[in-house]
């Protein structure tokens, strides 16, 4: 799968990301680096430990990474999660975290199919 197909599959914005990062090689480089990003796993662990300060920080970081890479679906669900935990509030709706984890997993699967 090429980058345009990848972005279509994950519901991302390839054109905007390409414009922001200047060329296809840069986009591909940073997309592939996402495979090594531990933020979603860290978020999951912080939520399990009920460390809401760390969980908020991880959700906020993930939101920024998703926005910068044009991962629109991940950005949207992580933005909702971030706001739900703003001010170190406990996560009351586990489905918000589940949605983030589902999008993260979909992106990781799609990255593994990139040419």
């Amino acid at each position: 799968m090429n980058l345009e197909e990848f972005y279509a599959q994950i519901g991302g914005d390839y054109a905007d990301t390409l414009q922001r990062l200047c060329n296809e090689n840069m986009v591909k480089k940073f997309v592939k680096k996402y495979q090594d990003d531990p933020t979603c796993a860290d978020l999951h662990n912080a939520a399990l430990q009920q460390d809401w300060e760390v969980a908020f920080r991880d959700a906020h970081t993930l939101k920024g990474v998703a926005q910068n890479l044009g991962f629109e679906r991940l950005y949207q669900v992580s933005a909702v999660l971030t706001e739900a935990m703003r001010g170190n509030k406990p996560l009351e709706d586990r489905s918000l975290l589940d949605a983030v984890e589902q999008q993260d997993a979909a992106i990781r699967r799609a990255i593994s199919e990139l040419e």
Side-chain angles (χ1 to χ4, degrees):
M1 149 177 14
N2 67 31
L3 273 176
E4 285 185 71
E5 294 165 334
F6 165 80
Y7 273 90
Q9 182 173 325
I10 66 158
D13 190 336
Y14 176 68
D16 186 57
T17 306
L18 182 60
Q19 185 176 19
R20 187 172 35 263
L21 296 180
C22 300
N23 68 59
E24 190 171 312
N25 289 335
M26 284 294 256
V27 174
K28 193 173 206 174
K29 173 184 174 183
F30 285 110
V31 165
K32 287 193 170 206
K33 280 182 161 240
Y34 184 79
Q35 283 284 56
D36 298 325
D37 189 304
T39 307
C40 193
D42 292 347
L43 168 60
H44 177 85
N45 291 331
L48 282 178
Q49 296 171 9
Q50 298 184 356
D51 186 339
W52 305 119
E53 181 179 349
V54 171
F56 169 78
R57 187 174 56 240
D58 290 335
H60 192 272
T61 297
L62 192 58
K63 178 181 85 164
V65 169
Q67 186 174 35
N68 286 332
L69 292 176
F71 298 167
E72 293 301 315
R73 290 180 190 154
L74 179 59
Y75 168 73
Q76 290 169 3
V77 294
S78 60
V80 172
L81 179 62
T82 298
E83 292 310 311
M85 293 190 302
R86 188 169 295 283
N88 301 328
K89 289 191 294 193
L91 180 60
E92 295 177 2
D93 184 354
R94 172 66 194 206
S95 71
L96 299 178
L97 178 58
D98 292 343
V100 167
E101 291 175 335
Q102 289 168 2
Q103 289 302 315
D104 175 75
I107 289 167
R108 290 174 188 278
R109 280 191 304 273
I111 290 171
S112 70
E113 298 173 20
L114 269 173
E115 296 171 346

